Amino acid sequence: LTFIQYIASGTATTIAVTLIALPLGLVLGVLTALLHVYGGKLPARLVYIYSTMMRGVPPIVLLFILYFVMSGAINLSPFLAGSLSLGIISSAYQLEIFRGALQSVSGGQMMAARAIGMSRIKAIRHIVLPQALRLAIPGWSNEAAIVVKDSSLVYALGVTEILRRAQLLSASTQQPFLAYGTAAVIYFLLVFITNRLLDLLERRTRIPANP
Amino acid sequence: MMKRSNTMIMLTVLLVSLLAACGQREPADQLEAIKQKGVIQVGTSADYPPFESVDSAGNLVGFDVDLMNEVARRMGVTVDWVDMPFDSLIAAVQEGKLDMAISAFNYSDERAQRIDFTEAYYTSEDSFMVLESFAGQINQPEEIANYLVGVQTGTTQDEWLTGLIDEGILPEANLSRYDRVDQAALDLRAGRIEVLMSDYVPAQELMKTMGGMKIVYVGVLSSGPMNMVVPKGSATLTAALNDVIRQLESEGFIDQLAIQHMGE
Protein backbone atom coordinates (compact mmCIF):
# COMPACT_ATOMS: atom_id res chain seq x y z
CA LEU A 1 0.00 0.00 0.00
CA THR A 2 2.91 2.35 0.69
CA PHE A 3 3.86 1.30 -2.82
CA ILE A 4 0.75 2.88 -4.30
CA GLN A 5 0.99 5.82 -1.94
CA TYR A 6 4.51 6.56 -3.14
CA ILE A 7 3.40 6.71 -6.76
CA ALA A 8 0.25 8.63 -5.95
CA SER A 9 2.21 11.25 -4.05
CA GLY A 10 3.55 12.33 -7.43
CA THR A 11 0.05 13.44 -8.40
CA ALA A 12 0.44 16.86 -6.79
CA THR A 13 3.52 17.50 -8.93
CA THR A 14 1.74 16.39 -12.07
CA ILE A 15 -1.24 18.62 -11.32
CA ALA A 16 1.00 21.56 -10.45
CA VAL A 17 2.97 21.22 -13.68
CA THR A 18 -0.25 21.04 -15.66
CA LEU A 19 -1.74 24.03 -13.86
CA ILE A 20 1.25 26.14 -14.87
CA ALA A 21 1.73 24.80 -18.39
CA LEU A 22 -1.88 24.76 -19.55
CA PRO A 23 -2.88 28.36 -18.64
CA LEU A 24 0.44 29.68 -19.91
CA GLY A 25 -0.16 27.87 -23.19
CA LEU A 26 -3.70 29.23 -23.23
CA VAL A 27 -2.66 32.86 -22.88
CA LEU A 28 0.20 32.58 -25.37
CA GLY A 29 -1.92 30.47 -27.69
CA VAL A 30 -4.85 32.90 -27.84
CA LEU A 31 -2.58 35.90 -28.29
CA THR A 32 -0.55 34.33 -31.08
CA ALA A 33 -3.71 33.04 -32.74
CA LEU A 34 -5.17 36.57 -32.76
CA LEU A 35 -1.92 37.87 -34.19
CA HIS A 36 -1.98 35.22 -36.86
CA VAL A 37 -5.56 35.86 -37.94
CA TYR A 38 -5.86 39.63 -37.46
CA GLY A 39 -2.29 40.82 -37.10
CA GLY A 40 -1.39 41.35 -40.73
CA LYS A 41 1.21 39.75 -42.94
CA LEU A 42 4.45 40.00 -40.96
CA PRO A 43 3.10 38.91 -37.55
CA ALA A 44 1.25 36.04 -39.22
CA ARG A 45 4.50 34.96 -40.81
CA LEU A 46 6.39 35.10 -37.50
CA VAL A 47 3.66 33.20 -35.67
CA TYR A 48 3.71 30.60 -38.42
CA ILE A 49 7.46 30.08 -37.95
CA TYR A 50 7.04 29.90 -34.16
CA SER A 51 4.31 27.30 -34.41
CA THR A 52 6.15 25.19 -36.97
CA MET A 53 9.34 25.14 -34.96
CA MET A 54 7.69 24.38 -31.64
CA ARG A 55 5.64 21.57 -33.11
CA GLY A 56 8.45 20.18 -35.21
CA VAL A 57 10.90 19.46 -32.41
CA PRO A 58 10.35 16.59 -29.97
CA PRO A 59 9.08 18.01 -26.65
CA ILE A 60 11.87 16.37 -24.66
CA VAL A 61 14.53 18.11 -26.75
CA LEU A 62 12.79 21.48 -26.42
CA LEU A 63 12.51 20.88 -22.70
CA PHE A 64 16.25 20.40 -22.40
CA ILE A 65 17.06 23.41 -24.54
CA LEU A 66 14.62 25.69 -22.77
CA TYR A 67 15.71 24.40 -19.37
CA PHE A 68 19.41 24.88 -19.86
CA VAL A 69 19.04 28.11 -21.81
CA MET A 70 16.49 29.71 -19.50
CA SER A 71 18.36 28.78 -16.36
CA GLY A 72 21.57 30.08 -17.89
CA ALA A 73 20.03 33.54 -17.75
CA ILE A 74 17.86 33.21 -14.64
CA ASN A 75 18.20 30.54 -12.01
CA LEU A 76 14.96 28.58 -12.23
CA SER A 77 14.15 25.41 -10.35
CA PRO A 78 13.78 22.32 -12.55
CA PHE A 79 10.10 22.27 -11.64
CA LEU A 80 9.42 25.83 -12.74
CA ALA A 81 11.62 25.61 -15.82
CA GLY A 82 9.99 22.34 -16.85
CA SER A 83 6.48 23.68 -16.38
CA LEU A 84 7.18 26.89 -18.27
CA SER A 85 8.80 24.96 -21.10
CA LEU A 86 5.82 22.66 -21.40
CA GLY A 87 3.59 25.75 -21.43
CA ILE A 88 5.56 27.24 -24.31
CA ILE A 89 5.42 23.97 -26.23
CA SER A 90 1.70 23.68 -25.57
CA SER A 91 1.13 27.26 -26.73
CA ALA A 92 2.08 26.25 -30.28
CA TYR A 93 -0.58 23.55 -30.35
CA GLN A 94 -3.15 25.78 -28.68
CA LEU A 95 -2.35 28.49 -31.19
CA GLU A 96 -3.51 26.21 -33.98
CA ILE A 97 -6.64 25.24 -32.07
CA PHE A 98 -7.61 28.87 -31.54
CA ARG A 99 -6.63 29.89 -35.05
CA GLY A 100 -8.98 27.25 -36.41
CA ALA A 101 -11.71 28.41 -34.07
CA LEU A 102 -11.25 32.09 -34.95
CA GLN A 103 -11.34 31.35 -38.65
CA SER A 104 -14.47 29.28 -38.36
CA VAL A 105 -16.43 32.24 -37.02
CA SER A 106 -17.98 33.43 -40.25
CA GLY A 107 -16.57 36.59 -41.77
CA GLY A 108 -20.02 38.15 -41.85
CA GLN A 109 -19.92 38.52 -38.09
CA MET A 110 -16.94 40.80 -38.30
CA MET A 111 -18.46 42.79 -41.14
CA ALA A 112 -21.73 43.21 -39.26
CA ALA A 113 -19.91 44.36 -36.14
CA ARG A 114 -17.92 46.88 -38.13
CA ALA A 115 -21.11 48.03 -39.87
CA ILE A 116 -22.75 48.94 -36.58
CA GLY A 117 -19.71 51.05 -35.73
CA MET A 118 -17.56 48.80 -33.57
CA SER A 119 -13.81 49.21 -33.86
CA ARG A 120 -11.82 46.23 -35.10
CA ILE A 121 -10.48 45.45 -31.65
CA LYS A 122 -13.91 45.83 -30.08
CA ALA A 123 -15.39 43.52 -32.68
CA ILE A 124 -12.76 40.89 -32.01
CA ARG A 125 -13.15 41.17 -28.28
CA HIS A 126 -16.94 41.23 -28.07
CA ILE A 127 -18.12 39.39 -31.17
CA VAL A 128 -15.55 37.03 -32.64
CA LEU A 129 -13.51 35.87 -29.65
CA PRO A 130 -16.45 34.80 -27.45
CA GLN A 131 -17.75 32.59 -30.22
CA ALA A 132 -14.32 31.28 -31.13
CA LEU A 133 -13.48 30.32 -27.56
CA ARG A 134 -16.63 28.24 -27.36
CA LEU A 135 -15.78 26.53 -30.62
CA ALA A 136 -12.29 25.81 -29.36
CA ILE A 137 -13.34 23.81 -26.31
CA PRO A 138 -13.49 20.33 -27.90
CA GLY A 139 -10.08 20.69 -29.52
CA TRP A 140 -8.74 22.25 -26.40
CA SER A 141 -9.84 19.36 -24.23
CA ASN A 142 -7.64 17.20 -26.43
CA GLU A 143 -4.68 19.42 -25.74
CA ALA A 144 -5.48 19.46 -22.02
CA ALA A 145 -5.31 15.66 -21.93
CA ILE A 146 -2.02 15.72 -23.77
CA VAL A 147 -0.51 18.28 -21.42
CA VAL A 148 -1.54 16.23 -18.38
CA LYS A 149 0.32 13.28 -19.82
CA ASP A 150 3.26 15.26 -21.21
CA SER A 151 3.80 16.70 -17.75
CA SER A 152 5.65 13.47 -17.05
CA LEU A 153 8.48 14.76 -19.24
CA VAL A 154 9.74 17.00 -16.45
CA TYR A 155 11.18 13.85 -14.91
CA ALA A 156 14.08 14.25 -17.33
CA LEU A 157 15.05 17.42 -15.44
CA GLY A 158 14.93 15.72 -12.07
CA VAL A 159 11.35 16.35 -11.01
CA THR A 160 9.96 13.12 -9.63
CA GLU A 161 6.32 12.90 -10.68
CA ILE A 162 3.96 9.96 -11.16
CA LEU A 163 5.65 8.23 -14.08
CA ARG A 164 9.17 8.52 -12.71
CA ARG A 165 8.00 7.20 -9.37
CA ALA A 166 6.43 4.23 -11.12
CA GLN A 167 9.69 3.62 -12.98
CA LEU A 168 11.72 3.72 -9.80
CA LEU A 169 9.47 1.26 -8.01
CA SER A 170 9.34 -0.97 -11.04
CA ALA A 171 13.14 -1.03 -11.03
CA SER A 172 13.47 -1.81 -7.33
CA THR A 173 10.59 -4.23 -6.82
CA GLN A 174 10.28 -5.91 -10.23
CA GLN A 175 6.53 -5.37 -10.22
CA PRO A 176 6.13 -3.34 -13.40
CA PHE A 177 2.44 -4.13 -13.83
CA LEU A 178 1.49 -2.88 -10.40
CA ALA A 179 3.72 0.18 -10.74
CA TYR A 180 2.64 1.23 -14.23
CA GLY A 181 -0.92 0.12 -13.60
CA THR A 182 -1.10 2.52 -10.67
CA ALA A 183 0.32 5.31 -12.81
CA ALA A 184 -2.15 4.51 -15.59
CA VAL A 185 -5.14 4.68 -13.25
CA ILE A 186 -4.03 8.04 -11.85
CA TYR A 187 -3.46 9.54 -15.28
CA PHE A 188 -6.77 8.20 -16.49
CA LEU A 189 -8.59 9.80 -13.56
CA LEU A 190 -6.82 13.12 -14.10
CA VAL A 191 -7.67 13.23 -17.79
CA PHE A 192 -11.20 11.98 -17.17
CA ILE A 193 -11.90 14.69 -14.61
CA THR A 194 -10.34 17.39 -16.77
CA ASN A 195 -12.45 16.39 -19.75
CA ARG A 196 -15.64 16.18 -17.73
CA LEU A 197 -15.03 19.69 -16.43
CA LEU A 198 -14.49 20.93 -19.95
CA ASP A 199 -17.65 19.17 -21.16
CA LEU A 200 -19.50 20.96 -18.41
CA LEU A 201 -17.97 24.27 -19.44
CA GLU A 202 -18.94 23.58 -23.03
CA ARG A 203 -22.56 22.94 -22.06
CA ARG A 204 -22.73 25.89 -19.71
CA THR A 205 -21.41 28.33 -22.25
CA ARG A 206 -23.33 27.03 -25.23
CA ILE A 207 -25.23 29.74 -27.06
CA PRO A 208 -28.89 28.62 -26.95
CA ALA A 209 -29.67 29.44 -30.54
CA ASN A 210 -26.76 27.41 -31.85
CA PRO A 211 -27.27 23.70 -32.15
CA MET B 1 27.78 1.22 -15.26
CA MET B 2 29.70 3.37 -17.60
CA LYS B 3 27.23 5.16 -19.67
CA ARG B 4 27.33 7.19 -22.78
CA SER B 5 24.63 9.78 -23.22
CA ASN B 6 22.35 8.99 -26.07
CA THR B 7 22.49 10.89 -29.27
CA MET B 8 19.51 13.10 -28.64
CA ILE B 9 20.85 14.41 -25.39
CA MET B 10 24.36 14.78 -26.81
CA LEU B 11 22.88 16.91 -29.54
CA THR B 12 21.02 18.99 -27.01
CA VAL B 13 24.05 19.44 -24.84
CA LEU B 14 26.04 20.52 -27.87
CA LEU B 15 23.41 23.09 -28.73
CA VAL B 16 23.16 24.23 -25.16
CA SER B 17 26.90 24.58 -24.71
CA LEU B 18 26.99 26.70 -27.84
CA LEU B 19 24.26 28.89 -26.45
CA ALA B 20 25.73 28.93 -22.98
CA ALA B 21 29.22 29.78 -24.21
CA CYS B 22 28.38 33.47 -24.18
CA GLY B 23 27.11 33.58 -20.61
CA GLN B 24 29.68 31.51 -18.75
CA ARG B 25 29.21 31.20 -14.99
CA GLU B 26 31.89 32.67 -12.75
CA PRO B 27 34.09 29.80 -11.52
CA ALA B 28 33.88 30.67 -7.83
CA ASP B 29 35.32 28.08 -5.52
CA GLN B 30 32.71 25.34 -5.55
CA LEU B 31 33.75 23.69 -2.31
CA GLU B 32 33.49 26.95 -0.36
CA ALA B 33 30.06 27.64 -1.82
CA ILE B 34 28.84 24.18 -0.83
CA LYS B 35 30.22 24.47 2.69
CA GLN B 36 28.62 27.86 3.16
CA LYS B 37 25.25 26.47 2.16
CA GLY B 38 25.84 23.37 4.24
CA VAL B 39 24.13 21.38 1.49
CA ILE B 40 25.53 19.50 -1.46
CA GLN B 41 23.18 18.77 -4.34
CA VAL B 42 23.86 15.27 -5.60
CA GLY B 43 22.23 13.68 -8.63
CA THR B 44 21.55 9.99 -8.99
CA SER B 45 19.40 7.75 -11.14
CA ALA B 46 17.59 5.72 -8.53
CA ASP B 47 16.71 2.79 -10.76
CA TYR B 48 19.84 0.71 -10.34
CA PRO B 49 19.76 -1.55 -7.31
CA PRO B 50 21.84 -2.32 -5.32
CA PHE B 51 23.74 0.91 -6.05
CA GLU B 52 20.79 3.25 -5.93
CA SER B 53 17.08 2.61 -5.81
CA VAL B 54 13.97 3.52 -3.84
CA ASP B 55 12.35 1.11 -1.43
CA SER B 56 8.60 0.65 -1.55
CA ALA B 57 8.16 3.50 0.93
CA GLY B 58 10.01 5.77 -1.46
CA ASN B 59 13.23 6.10 0.52
CA LEU B 60 16.45 6.36 -1.41
CA VAL B 61 18.64 3.36 -0.57
CA GLY B 62 21.74 1.63 -1.87
CA PHE B 63 25.52 1.46 -1.84
CA ASP B 64 26.11 4.81 -3.55
CA VAL B 65 23.51 6.48 -1.36
CA ASP B 66 25.02 5.29 1.94
CA LEU B 67 28.50 6.09 0.71
CA MET B 68 27.61 9.61 -0.39
CA ASN B 69 25.73 10.37 2.81
CA GLU B 70 28.79 9.36 4.83
CA VAL B 71 31.13 11.33 2.58
CA ALA B 72 28.97 14.43 2.98
CA ARG B 73 28.75 13.94 6.74
CA ARG B 74 32.53 13.97 6.96
CA MET B 75 32.68 17.09 4.85
CA GLY B 76 30.26 18.69 7.28
CA VAL B 77 27.37 19.07 4.84
CA THR B 78 24.09 17.30 4.17
CA VAL B 79 23.05 15.79 0.87
CA ASP B 80 20.17 17.14 -1.16
CA TRP B 81 19.38 14.15 -3.40
CA VAL B 82 18.02 14.78 -6.89
CA ASP B 83 16.71 11.84 -8.87
CA MET B 84 17.20 12.11 -12.64
CA PRO B 85 17.27 9.70 -15.54
CA PHE B 86 20.83 8.45 -16.06
CA ASP B 87 21.05 10.13 -19.45
CA SER B 88 20.40 13.56 -17.92
CA LEU B 89 22.93 13.34 -15.11
CA ILE B 90 26.12 14.22 -16.96
CA ALA B 91 24.43 17.09 -18.77
CA ALA B 92 23.11 18.42 -15.47
CA VAL B 93 26.52 18.24 -13.79
CA GLN B 94 28.18 19.77 -16.83
CA GLU B 95 25.77 22.68 -16.81
CA GLY B 96 26.21 23.20 -13.07
CA LYS B 97 22.63 22.20 -12.25
CA LEU B 98 24.01 19.75 -9.75
CA ASP B 99 27.06 20.00 -7.51
CA MET B 100 27.96 16.43 -8.42
CA ALA B 101 26.53 13.03 -9.26
CA ILE B 102 27.03 9.51 -7.99
CA SER B 103 25.30 6.82 -9.99
CA ALA B 104 27.67 3.91 -10.57
CA PHE B 105 29.57 5.93 -13.17
CA ASN B 106 32.55 4.25 -14.77
CA TYR B 107 35.38 6.25 -16.24
CA SER B 108 35.36 6.80 -19.97
CA ASP B 109 37.45 9.18 -22.08
CA GLU B 110 34.36 10.41 -23.82
CA ARG B 111 32.79 11.42 -20.52
CA ALA B 112 36.01 12.85 -19.18
CA GLN B 113 35.90 15.52 -21.86
CA ARG B 114 32.72 16.92 -20.36
CA ILE B 115 33.08 16.37 -16.62
CA ASP B 116 35.73 15.45 -14.07
CA PHE B 117 35.93 12.16 -12.18
CA THR B 118 36.97 11.60 -8.60
CA GLU B 119 39.16 8.67 -7.67
CA ALA B 120 37.55 5.26 -7.88
CA TYR B 121 35.55 4.05 -4.91
CA TYR B 122 34.59 0.66 -6.31
CA THR B 123 35.44 -1.63 -9.20
CA SER B 124 32.75 -3.24 -11.27
CA GLU B 125 32.71 -6.06 -13.78
CA ASP B 126 30.53 -6.82 -16.77
CA SER B 127 28.33 -9.86 -17.00
CA PHE B 128 26.21 -11.70 -19.55
CA MET B 129 22.90 -12.89 -18.15
CA VAL B 130 20.68 -15.47 -19.85
CA LEU B 131 17.60 -17.52 -19.00
CA GLU B 132 18.23 -20.76 -17.16
CA SER B 133 16.97 -22.60 -20.22
CA PHE B 134 19.63 -20.97 -22.41
CA ALA B 135 21.19 -23.67 -24.59
CA GLY B 136 23.92 -21.66 -26.34
CA GLN B 137 27.51 -21.23 -25.32
CA ILE B 138 29.63 -18.14 -24.80
CA ASN B 139 33.30 -18.88 -24.23
CA GLN B 140 34.75 -15.72 -25.72
CA PRO B 141 32.97 -12.43 -24.98
CA GLU B 142 32.71 -11.65 -28.69
CA GLU B 143 30.55 -14.74 -29.14
CA ILE B 144 27.74 -12.67 -27.68
CA ALA B 145 27.33 -11.52 -31.28
CA ASN B 146 25.69 -14.85 -32.13
CA TYR B 147 22.64 -14.00 -30.02
CA LEU B 148 19.98 -11.35 -29.59
CA VAL B 149 21.52 -8.92 -27.12
CA GLY B 150 19.98 -6.36 -24.76
CA VAL B 151 21.72 -3.48 -23.00
CA GLN B 152 20.90 -0.27 -21.14
CA THR B 153 21.25 2.85 -23.28
CA GLY B 154 24.21 5.07 -22.56
CA THR B 155 26.12 2.54 -20.47
CA THR B 156 29.71 1.59 -21.13
CA GLN B 157 28.33 -1.84 -22.02
CA ASP B 158 26.32 -0.11 -24.72
CA GLU B 159 29.53 1.54 -25.88
CA TRP B 160 31.31 -1.82 -26.00
CA LEU B 161 28.50 -3.50 -27.96
CA THR B 162 28.30 -0.54 -30.32
CA GLY B 163 32.00 -1.15 -30.93
CA LEU B 164 31.16 -4.71 -31.97
CA ILE B 165 28.56 -3.33 -34.35
CA ASP B 166 31.07 -0.89 -35.84
CA GLU B 167 33.52 -3.74 -36.38
CA GLY B 168 30.82 -5.65 -38.22
CA ILE B 169 30.78 -8.48 -35.68
CA LEU B 170 27.34 -7.83 -34.21
CA PRO B 171 24.44 -7.09 -36.60
CA GLU B 172 22.77 -3.85 -35.50
CA ALA B 173 19.33 -5.48 -35.67
CA ASN B 174 20.38 -7.97 -32.98
CA LEU B 175 20.95 -5.30 -30.34
CA SER B 176 18.07 -3.89 -28.29
CA ARG B 177 18.69 -0.84 -26.13
CA TYR B 178 16.62 -0.07 -23.04
CA ASP B 179 16.18 3.00 -20.84
CA ARG B 180 16.70 0.95 -17.71
CA VAL B 181 18.29 -2.38 -17.01
CA ASP B 182 15.16 -3.81 -15.39
CA GLN B 183 13.23 -3.32 -18.63
CA ALA B 184 15.91 -5.30 -20.42
CA ALA B 185 15.60 -8.06 -17.83
CA LEU B 186 11.85 -8.22 -18.41
CA ASP B 187 12.45 -8.64 -22.13
CA LEU B 188 15.00 -11.34 -21.40
CA ARG B 189 12.34 -13.19 -19.44
CA ALA B 190 9.83 -12.64 -22.24
CA GLY B 191 12.30 -14.13 -24.72
CA ARG B 192 12.67 -11.03 -26.88
CA ILE B 193 16.40 -10.99 -26.20
CA GLU B 194 18.70 -13.90 -25.40
CA VAL B 195 21.61 -12.26 -23.57
CA LEU B 196 21.57 -9.22 -21.31
CA MET B 197 24.86 -7.43 -20.90
CA SER B 198 25.15 -5.28 -17.78
CA ASP B 199 27.23 -4.61 -14.70
CA TYR B 200 27.77 -7.78 -12.72
CA VAL B 201 26.38 -6.62 -9.37
CA PRO B 202 23.00 -5.31 -10.62
CA ALA B 203 22.70 -8.49 -12.72
CA GLN B 204 23.04 -10.56 -9.55
CA GLU B 205 20.40 -8.41 -7.93
CA LEU B 206 18.04 -8.95 -10.87
CA MET B 207 18.69 -12.67 -10.73
CA LYS B 208 17.72 -12.69 -7.08
CA THR B 209 14.51 -10.69 -7.45
CA MET B 210 13.29 -12.16 -10.73
CA GLY B 211 14.61 -15.73 -10.70
CA GLY B 212 14.95 -18.13 -13.61
CA MET B 213 18.14 -16.57 -14.91
CA LYS B 214 21.83 -17.35 -14.81
CA ILE B 215 25.06 -15.53 -15.55
CA VAL B 216 27.30 -17.14 -18.15
CA TYR B 217 30.15 -14.66 -18.34
CA VAL B 218 31.84 -12.28 -15.89
CA GLY B 219 34.81 -10.10 -16.73
CA VAL B 220 35.98 -6.56 -17.28
CA LEU B 221 35.12 -5.63 -20.85
CA SER B 222 33.80 -2.11 -20.59
CA SER B 223 33.36 -1.28 -16.93
CA GLY B 224 35.99 -1.03 -14.24
CA PRO B 225 36.51 1.62 -11.58
CA MET B 226 33.47 3.55 -10.40
CA ASN B 227 33.88 7.23 -9.76
CA MET B 228 31.84 10.17 -8.66
CA VAL B 229 31.22 12.86 -11.24
CA VAL B 230 31.92 16.56 -10.64
CA PRO B 231 31.79 19.60 -12.94
CA LYS B 232 34.92 20.30 -14.95
CA GLY B 233 37.54 22.33 -13.14
CA SER B 234 36.17 21.93 -9.61
CA ALA B 235 39.58 20.99 -8.24
CA THR B 236 38.91 21.77 -4.59
CA LEU B 237 35.72 19.73 -4.50
CA THR B 238 37.42 16.81 -6.23
CA ALA B 239 40.31 16.96 -3.78
CA ALA B 240 37.99 17.04 -0.78
CA LEU B 241 35.98 14.08 -2.11
CA ASN B 242 39.15 12.13 -2.86
CA ASP B 243 40.40 12.72 0.69
CA VAL B 244 37.24 11.28 2.19
CA ILE B 245 37.11 8.38 -0.27
CA ARG B 246 40.68 7.42 0.67
CA GLN B 247 39.83 7.77 4.36
CA LEU B 248 36.77 5.54 4.06
CA GLU B 249 38.70 3.02 2.05
CA SER B 250 41.47 2.67 4.62
CA GLU B 251 38.94 2.39 7.44
CA GLY B 252 37.24 -0.48 5.67
CA PHE B 253 33.95 1.45 5.52
CA ILE B 254 33.55 0.94 1.78
CA ASP B 255 34.22 -2.80 2.05
CA GLN B 256 31.61 -3.02 4.77
CA LEU B 257 29.09 -1.22 2.60
CA ALA B 258 29.84 -3.58 -0.26
CA ILE B 259 29.17 -6.56 1.99
CA GLN B 260 25.98 -4.99 3.25
CA HIS B 261 24.59 -4.13 -0.19
CA MET B 262 26.11 -6.70 -2.49
CA GLY B 263 26.87 -9.61 -0.24
CA GLU B 264 30.54 -9.53 -1.16
Side-chain angles (χ1 to χ4, degrees), chain B residues 178 182 192 216 243:
Chain B
Y178 300 85
D182 59 299
R192 279 187 281 265
V216 288
D243 277 350

Side-chain angles (χ1 to χ4, degrees), chain A residues 1-4 6 58 60-61 64-69 71-72 74-76 78 155-160 164-174 176-177 180, chain B residues 8-9 12 15-16 19 23 44-49 53-59 82-86 88 91-92 95 97 179-180 182-183 185-186 189 206 209-210:
Chain A
L1 200 65
T2 50
F3 187 100
I4 292 169
Y6 175 68
I60 185 78
V61 176
F64 267 99
I65 295 176
L66 290 173
Y67 175 48
F68 286 119
V69 169
S71 53
I74 18 169
N75 203 2
L76 285 176
Y155 89 85
L157 307 180
V159 180
T160 327
R164 178 64 177 166
R165 281 165 189 266
Q167 287 183 354
L168 294 180
L169 279 192
S170 151
S172 67
T173 61
Q174 301 302 332
F177 290 110
Y180 291 122
Chain B
M8 200 179 256
I9 288 169
T12 313
L15 250 164
V16 167
L19 287 159
T44 194
S45 178
D47 50 22
Y48 208 61
S53 59
V54 293
D55 61 19
S56 55
N59 301 310
V82 180
D83 165 68
M84 253 186 218
F86 193 86
S88 304
E95 288 300 315
K97 301 286 158 217
D179 275 352
R180 302 189 316 282
D182 59 299
Q183 295 172 319
L186 286 175
R189 200 168 57 181
L206 285 167
T209 47
M210 296 178 70

Side-chain angles (χ1 to χ4, degrees), chain A residues 112-129:
Chain A
R114 302 281 281 148
I116 59 168
M118 282 185 161
S119 73
R120 221 171 126 75
I121 292 177
K122 253 194 170 161
I124 293 171
R125 175 155 148 37
H126 295 290
I127 305 296
V128 181
L129 200 54

Side-chain angles (χ1 to χ4, degrees), chain B:
Chain B
M1 77 197 120
M2 266 203 295
K3 304 201 173 179
R4 183 173 53 88
S5 267
N6 68 27
T7 338
M8 200 179 256
I9 288 169
M10 291 266 285
L11 197 101
T12 313
V13 168
L14 200 81
L15 250 164
V16 167
S17 6
L18 277 176
L19 287 159
C22 15
Q24 208 53 260
R25 286 177 309 279
E26 80 292 359
D29 188 274
Q30 222 206 342
L31 183 64
E32 278 312 306
I34 290 166
K35 287 206 160 152
Q36 263 174 21
K37 276 186 298 177
V39 172
I40 185 165
Q41 214 176 27
V42 183
T44 194
S45 178
D47 50 22
Y48 208 61
F51 290 104
E52 43 266 323
S53 59
V54 293
D55 61 19
S56 55
N59 301 310
L60 207 53
V61 294
F63 176 84
D64 283 350
V65 177
D66 287 352
L67 175 64
M68 190 61 223
N69 281 333
E70 179 63 19
V71 168
R73 200 180 63 81
R74 297 201 179 195
M75 288 166 63
V77 295
T78 50
V79 180
D80 174 15
W81 286 103
V82 180
D83 165 68
M84 253 186 218
F86 193 86
D87 282 344
S88 304
L89 282 173
I90 289 204
V93 170
Q94 190 183 10
E95 288 300 315
K97 301 286 158 217
L98 297 169
D99 292 325
M100 58 171 291
I102 183 169
S103 204
F105 281 104
N106 288 118
Y107 179 87
S108 86
D109 289 334
E110 198 181 322
R111 285 179 184 163
Q113 290 171 5
R114 297 159 56 194
I115 41 84
D116 283 349
F117 287 102
T118 65
E119 281 173 22
Y121 60 86
Y122 187 76
T123 306
S124 66
E125 292 171 299
D126 301 300
S127 74
F128 296 166
M129 190 161 68
V130 297
L131 286 182
E132 263 166 7
S133 57
F134 181 71
Q137 243 191 344
I138 300 179
N139 300 319
Q140 294 295 314
E142 285 75 17
E143 286 172 27
I144 197 174
N146 301 332
Y147 304 97
L148 296 174
V149 185
V151 73
Q152 182 180 4
T153 308
T155 57
T156 44
Q157 287 86 17
D158 183 8
E159 224 170 310
W160 187 79
L161 288 166
T162 308
L164 288 189
I165 293 176
D166 293 342
E167 289 165 34
I169 300 172
L170 176 70
E172 172 118 53
N174 286 5
L175 179 66
S176 306
R177 296 186 174 92
Y178 300 85
D179 275 352
R180 302 189 316 282
V181 72
D182 59 299
Q183 295 172 319
L186 286 175
D187 256 14
L188 180 64
R189 200 168 57 181
R192 279 187 281 265
I193 55 174
E194 293 167 306
V195 186
L196 167 58
M197 181 177 180
S198 72
D199 276 340
Y200 179 46
V201 174
Q204 284 176 306
E205 186 82 8
L206 285 167
M207 243 181 7
K208 249 194 319 201
T209 47
M210 296 178 70
M213 295 165 185
K214 61 181 180 185
I215 288 171
V216 288
Y217 180 89
V218 180
V220 175
L221 302 171
S222 72
S223 50
M226 283 188 180
N227 325 70
M228 302 174 188
V229 165
V230 294
K232 264 233 165 297
S234 28
T236 50
L237 176 62
T238 314
L241 289 169
N242 283 341
D243 277 350
V244 184
I245 291 172
R246 261 180 251 134
Q247 231 177 61
L248 292 174
E249 223 151 43
S250 63
E251 286 170 25
F253 180 87
I254 293 184
D255 289 338
Q256 258 181 353
L257 271 189
I259 293 167
Q260 185 191 332
H261 288 285
M262 304 166 204
E264 280 182 13

Side-chain angles (χ1 to χ4, degrees), chain A residues 95-175:
Chain A
L95 147 66
E96 298 298 335
I97 294 170
F98 291 116
R99 184 170 68 87
L102 284 170
Q103 286 172 341
S104 59
V105 175
S106 88
Q109 302 266 345
M110 178 60 124
M111 274 192 261
R114 302 281 281 148
I116 59 168
M118 282 185 161
S119 73
R120 221 171 126 75
I121 292 177
K122 253 194 170 161
I124 293 171
R125 175 155 148 37
H126 295 290
I127 305 296
V128 181
L129 200 54
Q131 298 182 64
L133 288 180
R134 287 175 170 83
L135 288 170
I137 293 175
W140 199 78
S141 77
N142 238 350
E143 177 62 16
I146 289 168
V147 170
V148 168
K149 287 180 282 182
D150 270 0
S151 70
S152 70
L153 290 176
V154 296
Y155 89 85
L157 307 180
V159 180
T160 327
E161 41 60 71
I162 298 170
L163 194 62
R164 178 64 177 166
R165 281 165 189 266
Q167 287 183 354
L168 294 180
L169 279 192
S170 151
S172 67
T173 61
Q174 301 302 332
Q175 292 179 284

Side-chain angles (χ1 to χ4, degrees), chain A residues 11-98:
Chain A
T11 313
T13 313
T14 296
I15 293 176
V17 171
T18 311
L19 283 184
I20 294 176
L22 210 48
L24 176 66
L26 176 68
V27 173
L28 286 178
V30 171
L31 287 178
T32 44
L34 285 171
L35 266 182
H36 191 285
V37 179
Y38 296 110
K41 257 211 172 101
L42 184 66
R45 189 89 207 129
L46 291 177
V47 167
Y48 175 75
I49 294 171
Y50 173 77
S51 137
T52 312
M53 273 178 33
M54 287 294 166
R55 290 182 303 150
V57 181
I60 185 78
V61 176
L62 263 184
L63 207 65
F64 267 99
I65 295 176
L66 290 173
Y67 175 48
F68 286 119
V69 169
M70 282 203 298
S71 53
I74 18 169
N75 203 2
L76 285 176
S77 69
F79 166 77
L80 209 54
S83 312
L84 294 179
S85 306
L86 284 175
I88 292 173
I89 295 166
S90 173
S91 74
Y93 292 89
Q94 298 194 32
L95 147 66
E96 298 298 335
I97 294 170
F98 291 116

